[in-house]
Amino acid sequence: MKKIQSSLPGTKATFGYFRESLEPHFTLANWDYEQGFFDRTLDDQNMVYLRLPVKVLQGELDSPDAWLELGEPFVLRHVYNTGVEEDIGYYAPVASAVMNQFQQPIDKDAEIDPRWVRKAEAIVKELENRLG
């Protein structure tokens, strides 16, 4: 995991605003009604992610009018078993992402190539301009 220095932590808005501002690249992941993450894949294998933590200040996370606060963005890399898609007769990045979400990563915190960190930093800068 590599933390990204940013002015985003502490940014507050409704779930609906964040969802609209972050689409189509970010999806809500690993959430419950008190906290979660907006995730964006950075690579074609769906193993490197830019993750924006959110906590709920008021309401329930999946409600458009729930108030959220962003945490410190970070990049993480999950290494999964490969070859599963070929065993079921097809391969596509979407199928890979679907399969990966249900399997345990081989390495939950694998080393991250600096190019992914640079890409994440550029995305975070753009988000700071848009959300800040």
Side-chain angles (χ1 to χ4, degrees):
M1 178 177 80
K2 172 72 173 144
K3 294 180 180 180
I4 304 295
Q5 292 297 316
S6 169
S7 63
L8 290 176
T11 301
K12 298 172 185 160
T14 64
F15 172 69
Y17 175 78
F18 282 137
R19 185 182 59 211
E20 288 176 21
S21 298
L22 298 172
E23 284 183 345
H25 302 290
F26 284 87
T27 58
L28 186 62
N30 296 333
W31 64 280
D32 57 33
Y33 291 103
E34 297 173 0
Q35 61 190 356
F37 301 95
F38 283 107
D39 282 358
R40 177 176 176 167
T41 59
L42 300 175
D43 68 329
D44 293 335
Q45 292 78 32
N46 299 304
M47 292 188 190
V48 182
Y49 296 88
L50 170 57
R51 184 164 267 189
L52 303 174
V54 293
K55 72 176 180 181
V56 177
L57 301 175
Q58 182 180 350
E60 295 180 351
L61 184 51
D62 63 342
S63 173
D65 61 347
W67 276 90
L68 309 180
E69 181 176 355
L70 291 177
E72 186 173 25
F74 60 94
V75 179
L76 76 150
R77 180 172 169 242
H78 286 178
V79 177
Y80 296 97
N81 285 319
T82 58
V84 175
E85 295 85 3
E86 290 84 358
D87 293 342
I88 58 175
Y90 59 88
Y91 177 81
V94 172
S96 177
V98 169
M99 296 300 284
N100 289 348
Q101 75 174 327
F102 295 113
Q103 67 171 289
Q104 283 289 86
I106 296 169
D107 187 347
K108 291 182 182 180
D109 196 16
E111 188 174 331
I112 301 166
D113 186 308
R115 70 183 164 144
W116 301 124
V117 175
R118 288 190 301 274
K119 182 175 181 177
E121 288 171 340
I123 293 167
V124 167
K125 276 287 183 225
E126 190 269 320
L127 289 176
E128 288 173 339
N129 292 333
R130 189 179 335 156
L131 300 175

